[in-house]
PDB file of all heavy atoms in Angstrom:
ATOM      1  N   TRP A 416      -7.601   1.374  -7.062  1.00  0.00           N
ATOM      2  CA  TRP A 416      -8.398   2.462  -6.494  1.00  0.00           C
ATOM      3  C   TRP A 416      -7.818   3.778  -6.959  1.00  0.00           C
ATOM      4  O   TRP A 416      -6.909   3.792  -7.785  1.00  0.00           O
ATOM      5  CB  TRP A 416      -8.467   2.356  -4.973  1.00  0.00           C
ATOM      6  CG  TRP A 416      -7.141   2.399  -4.255  1.00  0.00           C
ATOM      7  CD1 TRP A 416      -6.148   1.458  -4.320  1.00  0.00           C
ATOM      8  CD2 TRP A 416      -6.662   3.422  -3.380  1.00  0.00           C
ATOM      9  NE1 TRP A 416      -5.085   1.845  -3.537  1.00  0.00           N
ATOM     10  CE2 TRP A 416      -5.375   3.028  -2.942  1.00  0.00           C
ATOM     11  CE3 TRP A 416      -7.193   4.623  -2.904  1.00  0.00           C
ATOM     12  CZ2 TRP A 416      -4.618   3.819  -2.065  1.00  0.00           C
ATOM     13  CZ3 TRP A 416      -6.441   5.391  -2.028  1.00  0.00           C
ATOM     14  CH2 TRP A 416      -5.168   4.986  -1.622  1.00  0.00           C
ATOM     15  N   GLY A 462     -14.492  -2.924 -21.304  1.00  0.00           N
ATOM     16  CA  GLY A 462     -15.351  -1.745 -21.219  1.00  0.00           C
ATOM     17  C   GLY A 462     -14.788  -0.763 -20.213  1.00  0.00           C
ATOM     18  O   GLY A 462     -13.585  -0.735 -19.955  1.00  0.00           O
ATOM     19  N   ASN A 576      12.654  -6.355 -34.424  1.00  0.00           N
ATOM     20  CA  ASN A 576      11.791  -7.326 -35.098  1.00  0.00           C
ATOM     21  C   ASN A 576      11.379  -8.449 -34.153  1.00  0.00           C
ATOM     22  O   ASN A 576      10.252  -8.940 -34.190  1.00  0.00           O
ATOM     23  CB  ASN A 576      12.495  -7.916 -36.326  1.00  0.00           C
ATOM     24  CG  ASN A 576      12.446  -6.939 -37.490  1.00  0.00           C
ATOM     25  OD1 ASN A 576      11.543  -6.094 -37.552  1.00  0.00           O
ATOM     26  ND2 ASN A 576      13.423  -7.023 -38.383  1.00  0.00           N
TER      27      ASN A 576
END
Side-chain angles (χ1 to χ4, degrees):
W416 59 294
N576 282 335

